[in-house]
Amino acid sequence: MRSLLCAAGAAGILLFAAAGPVAADDGGDGFTITDPRIKESSGLAASRKHPGVYWTHNDSDDGPYVYAVDGRTGRTVATVTLRGIGDPRDVEAISVGPDGNVYVGDIGDNLGGTWNHVWIYRFPEPAQLRDQTVTAAQLTVKYDEGPRDAEAMMVHPKTGRVYIASKKKSGGAALYEGPERLSSRGTNTFRRIAAIDQWVTDGAFSPDGTRLVLRGYFGAEMYRWQGGRPKDIGSVGVPLQMQGESVSFTPDGRTLMFGSEGKSSRVQPVGLSGDQLPESAAKNSDGKAGDKGGTEDRNQDGSGKNRNVLLAAVTFGVGAVVVLGLRRVFRRK
């Protein structure tokens, strides 16, 4: 029966691939991660020091490694080995802070939210892109509501405050705020500040800190960041991917880069417009903090999300038909 389900899954994937992207790619062609070591790219963050370079890492069972990938060629231009930390358990997210540090979130919980603590690793972003070993701080994290499974960690680009979004909607997904400054001594308690109606696999702040995006497997939601809290301003159409795991803003804030797990995985751009543009990007466009196309763009984004949901439903429907058909064939033999 498992083989039948695999066949159904394959049929679903083919249908998704044939359907094509649901949003226009306004940020170029994206890139393919070519490094065979990167099989489970689970986080993505644009470098602050090296334009056009993105930091990523594997999900788990890889070791204390972070990779710098050239956004033009997809080649790994540096492998950074972290020392001074224990064995990474379930690394899920990465972000670059305004303090010049790279933050790596070992925040996943494959035991369904039962580990009593998780970790964040912090190290200075290297000035030179070459293979090297750096000393990282290991920061212990707990939640005020008890253990949570999470895959999204974001550092605000202005305040330097760290936020984590829990994953499972059935368990009450939420956004958690860390202390004003994280400490390598003792425990850093993250406190719930907002409910999130989404199965979150990654997130990112815009470079100017005025927007927050949280993505799931089939969709993404954009938030205006006001007074340290998120305000939902509409869905963002995402590319159809094998397993959508990561997202990052480009340095100019005008484009989202969506990544997926798997060998030779694609990182695909989706351009932003209307109210979903960060304020600095919108001002550069027309001298205002927004534009008249915001409502129309949000409606288009919403329809894109609906198309994703419809495609997902059709995919599973086709898969079910394949399974039933194959079962009938085997019964006749």
Side-chain angles (χ1 to χ4, degrees):
M1 186 64 182
R2 291 181 63 182
S3 61
L4 297 181
L5 291 174
C6 289
I13 291 170
L14 290 174
L15 176 62
F16 263 37
V22 299
D25 290 348
D26 297 328
D29 296 329
F31 59 94
T32 297
I33 297 176
T34 61
D35 193 329
R37 297 173 298 173
I38 306 175
K39 303 176 183 178
E40 295 183 286
S41 175
S42 190
L44 194 69
S47 169
R48 279 178 169 250
K49 289 188 175 181
H50 308 286
V53 169
Y54 291 85
W55 293 102
T56 191
H57 55 81
N58 279 314
D59 186 341
S60 55
D61 299 327
D62 181 42
Y65 308 116
V66 177
Y67 306 93
V69 178
D70 188 330
R72 294 165 298 178
T73 66
R75 293 189 307 104
T76 297
V77 293
T79 300
V80 177
T81 303
L82 307 184
R83 66 183 170 204
I85 65 173
D87 293 329
R89 193 162 51 188
D90 191 359
V91 179
E92 293 287 357
I94 191 166
S95 186
V96 182
D99 56 0
N101 286 314
V102 178
Y103 292 73
V104 180
D106 192 354
I107 57 175
D109 191 339
N110 290 328
L111 297 180
T114 58
W115 285 324
N116 63 3
H117 69 276
V118 292
W119 299 298
I120 293 174
Y121 311 125
R122 181 179 63 197
F123 65 94
E125 183 172 18
Q128 295 182 341
L129 291 176
R130 55 179 174 79
D131 293 352
Q132 57 195 285
T133 299
V134 301
T135 300
Q138 181 166 324
L139 314 171
T140 301
V141 169
K142 290 187 176 182
Y143 303 95
D144 62 343
E145 297 180 324
R148 290 290 184 273
D149 183 22
E151 295 189 7
M153 178 204 68
M154 301 73 61
V155 182
H156 194 276
K158 300 301 181 182
T159 67
R161 202 155 197 161
V162 181
Y163 297 83
I164 295 175
S166 59
K167 179 180 181 181
K168 293 188 176 178
K169 185 174 178 179
S170 59
L175 184 66
Y176 295 85
E177 179 184 71
E180 185 176 356
R181 292 290 179 268
L182 296 183
S183 173
S184 58
R185 298 181 180 180
T187 300
N188 299 277
T189 300
F190 278 60
R191 304 188 183 282
R192 178 187 174 117
I193 61 170
I196 300 296
D197 186 19
Q198 190 179 180
W199 189 290
V200 183
T201 60
D202 200 16
F205 280 107
S206 61
D208 66 358
T210 65
R211 297 293 184 270
L212 169 68
V213 64
L214 296 175
R215 79 158 298 174
Y217 292 120
F218 301 115
E221 204 73 13
M222 186 69 75
Y223 301 85
R224 179 178 289 109
W225 194 253
Q226 292 182 327
R229 296 295 184 269
K231 180 181 179 182
D232 195 339
I233 55 175
S235 60
V236 180
V238 305
L240 295 175
Q241 298 175 316
M242 290 284 289
Q243 185 173 336
E245 286 284 346
S246 61
V247 66
S248 174
F249 279 86
T250 53
D252 64 3
R254 304 188 62 83
T255 302
L256 292 175
M257 303 296 285
F258 289 97
S260 174
E261 285 193 0
K263 294 181 180 179
S264 300
S265 60
R266 286 285 298 167
V267 176
Q268 298 171 266
V270 171
L272 296 172
S273 61
D275 288 349
Q276 294 187 344
L277 272 173
E279 292 178 6
S280 60
K283 287 178 181 178
N284 290 337
S285 296
D286 58 10
K288 300 178 181 179
D291 62 46
K292 296 180 180 180
T295 302
E296 180 180 356
D297 291 324
R298 284 198 302 274
N299 289 340
Q300 290 175 350
D301 290 333
S303 64
K305 183 176 181 181
N306 290 337
R307 287 195 297 271
N308 269 343
V309 174
L310 178 60
L311 285 170
V314 172
T315 297
F316 287 116
V318 170
V321 171
V322 171
V323 170
L324 291 175
L326 289 175
R327 289 181 66 181
R328 290 177 179 176
V329 170
F330 286 127
R331 285 175 180 172
R332 292 173 182 173
K333 292 184 178 180

mmCIF file of all heavy atoms in Angstrom, residues 7 12 46 71 74 84 96 105 122 137 148 150 153 166 173 182 190 211 222 225 248 273 277 289-290 297 302 322 328:
data_model
loop_
_atom_site.group_PDB
_atom_site.id
_atom_site.type_symbol
_atom_site.label_atom_id
_atom_site.label_comp_id
_atom_site.label_asym_id
_atom_site.label_seq_id
_atom_site.Cartn_x
_atom_site.Cartn_y
_atom_site.Cartn_z
ATOM 1 N N ALA A 7 3.104 6.282 -5.477
ATOM 2 C CA ALA A 7 2.717 6.566 -6.858
ATOM 3 C C ALA A 7 1.748 7.732 -6.913
ATOM 4 O O ALA A 7 1.834 8.596 -7.779
ATOM 5 C CB ALA A 7 2.082 5.314 -7.482
ATOM 6 N N GLY A 12 0.754 13.563 -7.869
ATOM 7 C CA GLY A 12 0.443 14.893 -7.357
ATOM 8 C C GLY A 12 1.548 15.878 -7.641
ATOM 9 O O GLY A 12 1.316 17.022 -8.019
ATOM 10 N N ALA A 46 19.569 36.695 3.480
ATOM 11 C CA ALA A 46 20.455 37.509 2.645
ATOM 12 C C ALA A 46 21.590 38.065 3.487
ATOM 13 O O ALA A 46 21.380 38.576 4.589
ATOM 14 C CB ALA A 46 19.663 38.643 1.998
ATOM 15 N N GLY A 71 23.999 33.958 -5.053
ATOM 16 C CA GLY A 71 22.661 34.042 -5.623
ATOM 17 C C GLY A 71 22.625 34.156 -7.129
ATOM 18 O O GLY A 71 21.549 34.091 -7.728
ATOM 19 N N GLY A 74 24.413 29.929 -7.735
ATOM 20 C CA GLY A 74 23.970 28.817 -6.898
ATOM 21 C C GLY A 74 25.118 28.036 -6.282
ATOM 22 O O GLY A 74 24.900 27.030 -5.598
ATOM 23 N N GLY A 84 32.499 25.494 19.597
ATOM 24 C CA GLY A 84 32.044 26.044 20.875
ATOM 25 C C GLY A 84 30.598 25.736 21.177
ATOM 26 O O GLY A 84 30.030 26.251 22.142
ATOM 27 N N VAL A 96 20.170 37.268 9.798
ATOM 28 C CA VAL A 96 21.318 38.140 10.030
ATOM 29 C C VAL A 96 20.841 39.377 10.771
ATOM 30 O O VAL A 96 19.893 40.044 10.339
ATOM 31 C CB VAL A 96 21.999 38.531 8.704
ATOM 32 C CG1 VAL A 96 23.226 39.409 8.985
ATOM 33 C CG2 VAL A 96 22.412 37.287 7.926
ATOM 34 N N GLY A 105 18.941 29.115 14.128
ATOM 35 C CA GLY A 105 17.925 28.601 15.043
ATOM 36 C C GLY A 105 17.862 27.083 15.065
ATOM 37 O O GLY A 105 17.325 26.470 14.150
ATOM 38 N N ARG A 122 24.993 31.952 17.657
ATOM 39 C CA ARG A 122 25.262 33.303 17.153
ATOM 40 C C ARG A 122 26.756 33.452 16.875
ATOM 41 O O ARG A 122 27.590 33.127 17.717
ATOM 42 C CB ARG A 122 24.816 34.332 18.185
ATOM 43 C CG ARG A 122 25.003 35.788 17.786
ATOM 44 C CD ARG A 122 24.506 36.702 18.897
ATOM 45 N NE ARG A 122 25.281 36.529 20.127
ATOM 46 C CZ ARG A 122 24.871 36.937 21.332
ATOM 47 N NH1 ARG A 122 23.687 37.513 21.482
ATOM 48 N NH2 ARG A 122 25.632 36.757 22.397
ATOM 49 N N ALA A 137 28.428 31.548 19.925
ATOM 50 C CA ALA A 137 27.780 31.510 21.235
ATOM 51 C C ALA A 137 26.565 30.594 21.143
ATOM 52 O O ALA A 137 25.855 30.594 20.135
ATOM 53 C CB ALA A 137 27.357 32.913 21.651
ATOM 54 N N ARG A 148 7.598 24.029 22.349
ATOM 55 C CA ARG A 148 6.936 24.259 21.070
ATOM 56 C C ARG A 148 7.821 23.730 19.940
ATOM 57 O O ARG A 148 9.047 23.775 20.022
ATOM 58 C CB ARG A 148 6.691 25.761 20.830
ATOM 59 C CG ARG A 148 5.624 26.377 21.739
ATOM 60 C CD ARG A 148 4.248 25.870 21.384
ATOM 61 N NE ARG A 148 3.200 26.493 22.149
ATOM 62 C CZ ARG A 148 2.768 26.076 23.344
ATOM 63 N NH1 ARG A 148 3.348 25.032 23.904
ATOM 64 N NH2 ARG A 148 1.787 26.680 23.953
ATOM 65 N N ALA A 150 9.072 24.572 16.286
ATOM 66 C CA ALA A 150 9.157 25.809 15.506
ATOM 67 C C ALA A 150 10.174 25.658 14.393
ATOM 68 O O ALA A 150 11.137 24.895 14.505
ATOM 69 C CB ALA A 150 9.542 26.983 16.409
ATOM 70 N N MET A 153 12.589 31.648 12.696
ATOM 71 C CA MET A 153 13.251 32.557 13.639
ATOM 72 C C MET A 153 13.696 33.792 12.868
ATOM 73 O O MET A 153 14.334 33.669 11.819
ATOM 74 C CB MET A 153 14.450 31.877 14.295
ATOM 75 C CG MET A 153 15.225 32.776 15.263
ATOM 76 S SD MET A 153 16.935 32.235 15.476
ATOM 77 C CE MET A 153 17.605 32.586 13.834
ATOM 78 N N SER A 166 6.011 29.530 16.146
ATOM 79 C CA SER A 166 5.809 28.089 16.266
ATOM 80 C C SER A 166 5.127 27.567 15.011
ATOM 81 O O SER A 166 4.521 28.320 14.248
ATOM 82 C CB SER A 166 4.994 27.748 17.519
ATOM 83 O OG SER A 166 3.727 28.377 17.488
ATOM 84 N N ALA A 173 -0.473 27.806 16.864
ATOM 85 C CA ALA A 173 0.700 28.509 16.360
ATOM 86 C C ALA A 173 0.693 29.953 16.839
ATOM 87 O O ALA A 173 -0.353 30.585 16.946
ATOM 88 C CB ALA A 173 0.727 28.457 14.834
ATOM 89 N N LEU A 182 19.634 38.916 23.974
ATOM 90 C CA LEU A 182 19.830 37.521 24.327
ATOM 91 C C LEU A 182 21.119 37.366 25.123
ATOM 92 O O LEU A 182 22.121 38.032 24.867
ATOM 93 C CB LEU A 182 19.896 36.652 23.077
ATOM 94 C CG LEU A 182 18.637 36.569 22.213
ATOM 95 C CD1 LEU A 182 18.850 35.606 21.051
ATOM 96 C CD2 LEU A 182 17.431 36.150 23.036
ATOM 97 N N PHE A 190 11.178 33.202 25.742
ATOM 98 C CA PHE A 190 10.423 33.854 24.672
ATOM 99 C C PHE A 190 8.943 33.864 25.050
ATOM 100 O O PHE A 190 8.389 32.827 25.436
ATOM 101 C CB PHE A 190 10.632 33.120 23.352
ATOM 102 C CG PHE A 190 11.901 33.492 22.636
ATOM 103 C CD1 PHE A 190 13.132 33.294 23.244
ATOM 104 C CD2 PHE A 190 11.863 34.059 21.369
ATOM 105 C CE1 PHE A 190 14.307 33.643 22.594
ATOM 106 C CE2 PHE A 190 13.039 34.417 20.715
ATOM 107 C CZ PHE A 190 14.264 34.216 21.334
ATOM 108 N N ARG A 211 7.965 45.236 7.513
ATOM 109 C CA ARG A 211 7.159 44.097 7.083
ATOM 110 C C ARG A 211 7.733 42.802 7.634
ATOM 111 O O ARG A 211 8.955 42.659 7.797
ATOM 112 C CB ARG A 211 7.105 44.005 5.546
ATOM 113 C CG ARG A 211 6.445 45.192 4.867
ATOM 114 C CD ARG A 211 4.962 45.271 5.170
ATOM 115 N NE ARG A 211 4.309 46.354 4.446
ATOM 116 C CZ ARG A 211 4.184 47.600 4.917
ATOM 117 N NH1 ARG A 211 4.699 47.912 6.105
ATOM 118 N NH2 ARG A 211 3.559 48.526 4.214
ATOM 119 N N MET A 222 1.694 38.207 4.691
ATOM 120 C CA MET A 222 2.484 39.403 4.948
ATOM 121 C C MET A 222 1.859 40.198 6.085
ATOM 122 O O MET A 222 0.635 40.331 6.175
ATOM 123 C CB MET A 222 2.564 40.278 3.698
ATOM 124 C CG MET A 222 3.490 41.466 3.833
ATOM 125 S SD MET A 222 5.224 41.004 3.915
ATOM 126 C CE MET A 222 5.532 40.591 2.183
ATOM 127 N N TRP A 225 4.566 45.600 10.427
ATOM 128 C CA TRP A 225 5.136 45.566 11.775
ATOM 129 C C TRP A 225 4.937 46.927 12.427
ATOM 130 O O TRP A 225 5.524 47.924 12.013
ATOM 131 C CB TRP A 225 6.610 45.205 11.717
ATOM 132 C CG TRP A 225 7.181 44.816 13.050
ATOM 133 C CD1 TRP A 225 8.023 45.554 13.827
ATOM 134 C CD2 TRP A 225 6.949 43.594 13.762
ATOM 135 N NE1 TRP A 225 8.332 44.862 14.976
ATOM 136 C CE2 TRP A 225 7.689 43.663 14.964
ATOM 137 C CE3 TRP A 225 6.191 42.448 13.494
ATOM 138 C CZ2 TRP A 225 7.698 42.627 15.906
ATOM 139 C CZ3 TRP A 225 6.189 41.423 14.413
ATOM 140 C CH2 TRP A 225 6.931 41.515 15.603
ATOM 141 N N SER A 248 13.292 34.628 2.318
ATOM 142 C CA SER A 248 14.104 35.783 2.683
ATOM 143 C C SER A 248 13.730 36.945 1.782
ATOM 144 O O SER A 248 13.344 36.748 0.630
ATOM 145 C CB SER A 248 15.601 35.458 2.522
ATOM 146 O OG SER A 248 16.405 36.605 2.749
ATOM 147 N N SER A 273 4.359 44.244 -4.388
ATOM 148 C CA SER A 273 3.817 45.525 -4.830
ATOM 149 C C SER A 273 2.738 45.966 -3.855
ATOM 150 O O SER A 273 2.335 45.217 -2.966
ATOM 151 C CB SER A 273 3.234 45.417 -6.248
ATOM 152 O OG SER A 273 2.169 44.482 -6.273
ATOM 153 N N LEU A 277 4.744 45.986 -0.123
ATOM 154 C CA LEU A 277 6.097 46.521 -0.224
ATOM 155 C C LEU A 277 6.510 47.149 1.101
ATOM 156 O O LEU A 277 5.723 47.890 1.713
ATOM 157 C CB LEU A 277 6.175 47.584 -1.309
ATOM 158 C CG LEU A 277 6.477 47.154 -2.741
ATOM 159 C CD1 LEU A 277 6.325 48.354 -3.669
ATOM 160 C CD2 LEU A 277 7.864 46.555 -2.865
ATOM 161 N N ALA A 289 4.556 56.088 1.246
ATOM 162 C CA ALA A 289 4.716 54.861 2.022
ATOM 163 C C ALA A 289 3.861 53.740 1.476
ATOM 164 O O ALA A 289 3.947 52.616 1.904
ATOM 165 C CB ALA A 289 4.348 55.117 3.491
ATOM 166 N N GLY A 290 3.001 54.014 0.540
ATOM 167 C CA GLY A 290 2.148 52.985 -0.065
ATOM 168 C C GLY A 290 1.743 53.451 -1.440
ATOM 169 O O GLY A 290 2.208 54.469 -1.928
ATOM 170 N N ASP A 297 -3.687 44.656 -5.383
ATOM 171 C CA ASP A 297 -2.606 43.689 -5.232
ATOM 172 C C ASP A 297 -2.941 42.676 -4.169
ATOM 173 O O ASP A 297 -2.639 41.497 -4.298
ATOM 174 C CB ASP A 297 -1.300 44.406 -4.880
ATOM 175 C CG ASP A 297 -0.784 45.217 -6.052
ATOM 176 O OD1 ASP A 297 -0.938 44.749 -7.193
ATOM 177 O OD2 ASP A 297 -0.245 46.313 -5.828
ATOM 178 N N GLY A 302 -4.520 37.286 -2.672
ATOM 179 C CA GLY A 302 -5.472 36.366 -2.072
ATOM 180 C C GLY A 302 -5.922 35.319 -3.057
ATOM 181 O O GLY A 302 -6.053 34.144 -2.723
ATOM 182 N N VAL A 322 -5.727 7.694 -8.209
ATOM 183 C CA VAL A 322 -4.665 6.773 -8.617
ATOM 184 C C VAL A 322 -4.603 5.578 -7.687
ATOM 185 O O VAL A 322 -4.483 4.433 -8.118
ATOM 186 C CB VAL A 322 -3.302 7.513 -8.656
ATOM 187 C CG1 VAL A 322 -2.164 6.519 -8.875
ATOM 188 C CG2 VAL A 322 -3.294 8.561 -9.758
ATOM 189 N N ARG A 328 -7.792 -1.550 -7.566
ATOM 190 C CA ARG A 328 -8.705 -2.362 -8.374
ATOM 191 C C ARG A 328 -7.947 -3.263 -9.337
ATOM 192 O O ARG A 328 -8.304 -4.406 -9.556
ATOM 193 C CB ARG A 328 -9.680 -1.460 -9.135
ATOM 194 C CG ARG A 328 -10.684 -0.773 -8.227
ATOM 195 C CD ARG A 328 -11.579 0.160 -9.002
ATOM 196 N NE ARG A 328 -12.560 0.807 -8.157
ATOM 197 C CZ ARG A 328 -13.418 1.731 -8.566
ATOM 198 N NH1 ARG A 328 -13.407 2.113 -9.854
ATOM 199 N NH2 ARG A 328 -14.265 2.280 -7.733
#
